[in-house]
Amino acid sequence: CYEEGLYIIINVHHEDKWLNVKTLDTDYEKIGVQLAAIWRQVADYFADYDQHLIFEGMNEPRMKGTASEWNANAAGIAAVNYLNQVFVNTIRTDAKGHNGERALMIPGYAAGCSSAVMNAIKIPQWNGADAENIIVSVHSYTPYDFCLSDTQVNFNRLYQTHTTEINMVFYSIKGLFLNKGIPVVIGE
């Protein structure tokens, strides 16, 4: 893919044994050590690949198996923001090759698309300012009844009842990120 000029995203995906765990909100520092160890190896290995290679620190980080698994709470949000900072620090510190300017994707809690989750995303800091070349990663299965259940089998963009939820997602993305020059990828 890289040799064909495509853009590639590498991430850690559904790491249910050490990242997406019930205790994410309390064990985030220990989780951060493992996250940094993985990303240091990946960053070193792919250092000479240019901006066609994007790193995404985590996929849907959440407190799996809890009442807050898909509905963020303050402690889970803080843990994910902490881990996003660990990820950026790992790639940017002693950056080899293209890692100093590489585009890095960060999610909010569970990569959620609610305005509350997206509003709680803290852009990681680097050298005392918002880190550069950061992309926010969002997942949106909206409207849920159409995308993930069998209760709505048709979607009509002319019906407000079909479009209100997805319109709100895009309005939030635009206001929170795009208007500030922060790109967003809706990965799922």
Side-chain angles (χ1 to χ4, degrees):
C1 293
Y2 180 82
E3 290 174 5
E4 294 297 323
L6 298 173
Y7 286 83
I8 299 112
I9 299 170
I10 293 178
N11 71 11
V12 294
H13 204 89
H14 293 295
E15 297 292 341
D16 295 336
K17 293 185 176 158
W18 62 273
L19 176 60
N20 296 334
V21 293
K22 288 181 180 182
T23 58
L24 172 69
D25 59 338
T26 56
D27 290 339
Y28 57 88
E29 289 179 339
K30 179 176 77 171
I31 292 166
V33 171
Q34 187 156 351
L35 185 73
I38 289 169
W39 278 109
R40 172 55 45 222
Q41 293 174 62
V42 173
D44 287 351
Y45 185 85
F46 290 105
D48 293 329
Y49 286 67
D50 69 13
Q51 289 293 358
H52 285 84
L53 181 62
I54 299 166
F55 296 158
E56 180 180 21
M58 300 172 282
N59 178 74
E60 297 179 349
R62 63 194 187 280
M63 296 182 304
K64 188 172 183 178
T66 71
S68 298
E69 180 171 3
W70 296 109
N71 300 303
N73 66 24
I77 287 169
V80 171
N81 283 330
Y82 172 86
L83 293 170
N84 282 333
Q85 185 67 59
V86 166
F87 167 64
V88 169
N89 290 350
T90 301
I91 305 302
R92 296 290 193 246
T93 301
D94 300 323
K96 298 176 183 172
H98 294 281
N99 290 334
E101 70 276 353
R102 181 172 314 287
L104 304 176
M105 287 176 53
I106 62 163
Y109 184 88
C113 66
S114 73
S115 59
V117 167
M118 290 191 291
N119 196 46
I121 295 172
K122 290 184 180 176
I123 301 300
Q125 300 292 292
W126 185 250
N127 291 331
D130 285 352
E132 295 181 2
N133 294 336
I134 298 296
I135 301 169
V136 171
S137 175
V138 172
H139 295 175
S140 179
Y141 294 94
T142 307
Y144 179 87
D145 287 339
F146 179 72
C147 294
L148 292 175
S149 77
D150 293 330
T151 60
Q152 183 181 344
V153 296
N154 296 307
F155 184 85
N156 188 328
R157 65 180 181 83
L158 301 177
Y159 296 160
Q160 186 175 0
T161 56
H162 289 190
T163 60
T164 298
E165 286 182 72
I166 193 66
N167 285 343
M168 290 310 298
V169 170
F170 280 94
Y171 291 139
S172 292
I173 287 171
K174 186 175 188 298
L176 292 170
F177 305 115
L178 301 181
N179 287 347
K180 298 173 184 174
I182 301 168
V184 175
V185 168
I186 300 178
E188 292 183 25

